[in-house]
Amino acid sequence: MSSFLHQRPLHNVLTDQYPLSPRSQENYQKPSIIFNRTSLILLLSLLIVLGIISPWIQIPQGLFISNNNKNGVFESKWRGYTLQEAAANVAKNNTLIVCAVSEAYLPFLNNWLISIVRQNHHDQVLVIAEDYLTLFKVNLNWPGHAVLIPPALESQSAHKFGSQGFFNFTSRRPRHLLQILELGYNVMYNDVDMVWLADPFPYLQGEHDVYFTDDMAAVKPLNHSHDLPPPGKKGRTYICSCMIYLRPTSGAKLIMKKWIEELQAQPWSKARKANDQPAFNWALNKTAGQVDLYLLPQAAFPTGGLYFKNPTWVQETKGMHVIIHNNYITGFEKKIKRFRDYGLWLVDDYASESPLGRS
């Protein structure tokens, strides 16, 4: 068949197979030049020539941008994003809500954020990313709400309580907070294993320097004192370093500087396995006479050792709880299971409420 087609004009073959009506024959015109064999040869020649010379053709930069280039521009932008820029973009009423997160904690960040969205305070949340993967993931979905304060940590660091990785992670906290205070902002710090059940800001009464919560599980009277509690058996108080509110005062800055000093004096070792909380308590105790301190109400800000282990107290204080801290337990899976058992693992059913989606 192919040799036959080469021997006869194409229009003759077509008319033999599909006869035209007399009227069609009168109006019939020769096929367009595109069907001409010479045209096909020219077209093929042009394609060959283009294929040979194209490597030497300079294509204007920016005409085509690869995904790699896009990623490079995106990453470069956020690597250069400063704390000063981030705070100015995110702060509301001169106040920031801050957490410090590595990639492993992104599910907890999502859960915490959903609870804050429900209190309409998410716009003033600034995520301090401790690694670049976290910085990029958060800003991809929620631009401008994550910043990295160098140096970065390894994204897959194991932050088991008592480990050196955990100490390296938490010991950076007072430096981050001090930098924010130096910029002139009020700042609330939360660990992300917390859930907001109500708006905490009405409880930040007065003009105190530092607000904090007691980490003891012993039940206090509802009208307990807001002063720093007396030292315990170890000669220091047992205040939680996971929920702190600071005003940009000289007293609050003094606490942060003292906290940094105490951490430097108590470095992590295999024998001691230091963490940031004892150092925070020593800082509070050693500066108590110089700083205006305020203990938040236990019923509103209970420790996990009370909320998850004393159902009688929970029932007696029902409706008073504001922020729940999932501490007094270690391990990601155990914390998630406990949150689920108490209906506080919100990402299962309400991930769409988070600015990050299902990150």
Side-chain angles (χ1 to χ4, degrees):
M1 174 66 77
S2 60
S3 61
F4 176 73
L5 287 174
H6 285 301
Q7 292 169 7
R8 303 185 59 203
L10 180 60
H11 70 273
N12 288 349
V13 176
L14 291 173
T15 52
D16 286 351
Q17 291 185 349
Y18 305 100
L20 299 171
S21 67
R23 187 171 181 176
S24 300
Q25 288 176 357
E26 291 174 5
N27 298 329
Y28 180 79
Q29 296 179 356
K30 290 184 179 181
S32 165
I33 190 169
I34 196 168
F35 293 103
N36 189 292
R37 185 169 61 180
T38 304
S39 303
L40 291 173
I41 292 171
L42 289 172
L43 181 60
L44 288 172
S45 300
L46 179 61
L47 291 173
I48 291 168
V49 170
L50 286 174
I52 293 171
I53 68 171
S54 62
W56 288 273
I57 295 176
Q58 293 292 323
I59 298 175
Q61 206 170 24
L63 185 61
F64 301 105
I65 301 176
S66 69
N67 283 334
N68 285 340
N69 286 342
K70 286 181 180 178
N71 290 341
V73 171
F74 172 82
E75 292 182 6
S76 177
K77 174 183 177 179
W78 297 118
R79 281 176 185 272
Y81 192 48
T82 67
L83 179 60
Q84 185 173 2
E85 291 173 318
N89 288 337
V90 175
K92 298 289 183 296
N93 300 318
N94 204 51
T95 301
L96 292 166
I97 301 167
V98 168
C99 64
V101 181
S102 64
E103 187 190 15
Y105 283 87
L106 284 173
F108 285 91
L109 171 62
N110 232 5
N111 199 65
W112 176 71
L113 280 174
I114 293 167
S115 71
I116 295 178
V117 167
R118 294 178 176 186
Q119 304 306 322
N120 201 30
H121 281 292
H122 57 290
D123 283 346
Q124 63 196 105
V125 169
L126 180 61
V127 178
I128 297 178
E130 297 289 10
D131 55 73
Y132 283 109
L133 280 173
T134 302
L135 176 71
F136 300 146
K137 283 186 177 182
V138 173
N139 282 330
L140 180 65
N141 294 297
W142 202 23
H145 281 269
V147 67
L148 188 145
I149 304 172
L153 297 177
E154 293 181 12
S155 60
Q156 295 297 334
S157 294
H159 296 316
K160 183 179 179 181
F161 183 82
S163 68
Q164 186 170 8
F166 182 85
F167 177 81
N168 293 342
F169 178 77
T170 57
S171 63
R172 291 156 59 95
R173 185 182 308 167
R175 292 186 182 277
H176 298 335
L177 296 176
L178 179 59
Q179 285 182 265
I180 294 170
L181 294 177
E182 295 287 6
L183 291 172
Y185 296 98
N186 305 309
V187 56
M188 176 187 287
Y189 174 83
N190 276 191
D191 272 2
V192 290
D193 61 344
M194 293 183 167
V195 169
W196 289 24
L197 301 183
D199 186 346
F201 284 94
Y203 294 82
L204 305 175
Q205 302 172 1
E207 295 292 329
H208 307 286
D209 295 323
V210 184
Y211 300 70
F212 45 76
T213 62
D214 197 337
D215 210 18
M216 296 294 287
V219 174
K220 295 176 179 289
L222 293 178
N223 62 344
H224 68 75
S225 169
H226 297 291
D227 295 335
L228 184 68
K233 294 179 181 179
K234 295 183 178 181
R236 56 170 169 78
T237 51
Y238 203 61
I239 297 301
C240 187
S241 59
C242 306
M243 158 61 199
I244 311 168
Y245 182 74
L246 305 159
R247 299 189 189 278
T249 62
S250 57
K253 294 173 189 177
L254 177 62
I255 291 284
M256 294 301 102
K257 291 172 183 175
K258 191 63 179 174
W259 189 1
I260 293 166
E261 288 178 13
E262 292 296 325
L263 283 166
Q264 291 171 340
Q266 302 174 51
W268 187 91
S269 67
K270 288 185 178 180
R272 295 191 67 250
K273 296 188 176 180
N275 66 81
D276 69 295
Q277 186 157 301
F280 178 59
N281 278 266
W282 283 121
L284 290 172
N285 297 165
K286 292 178 180 180
T287 60
Q290 308 168 62
V291 184
D292 186 353
L293 305 175
Y294 186 86
L295 177 66
L296 290 162
Q298 184 187 54
F301 302 88
T303 182
L306 179 57
Y307 184 84
F308 294 108
K309 297 188 177 184
N310 191 332
T312 301
W313 178 87
V314 171
Q315 189 60 37
E316 290 173 350
T317 55
K318 188 175 181 179
M320 299 181 189
H321 313 134
V322 177
I323 295 182
I324 306 303
H325 187 195
N326 195 359
N327 63 345
Y328 276 72
I329 191 172
T330 58
F332 282 14
E333 294 306 318
K334 289 180 181 179
K335 284 179 180 277
I336 291 172
K337 182 181 184 303
R338 181 198 256 178
F339 265 156
R340 281 192 173 124
D341 290 344
Y342 283 78
L344 297 175
W345 190 244
L346 307 175
V347 292
D348 283 342
D349 300 316
Y350 307 103
S352 60
E353 294 182 27
S354 168
L356 305 180
R358 289 190 174 275
S359 291

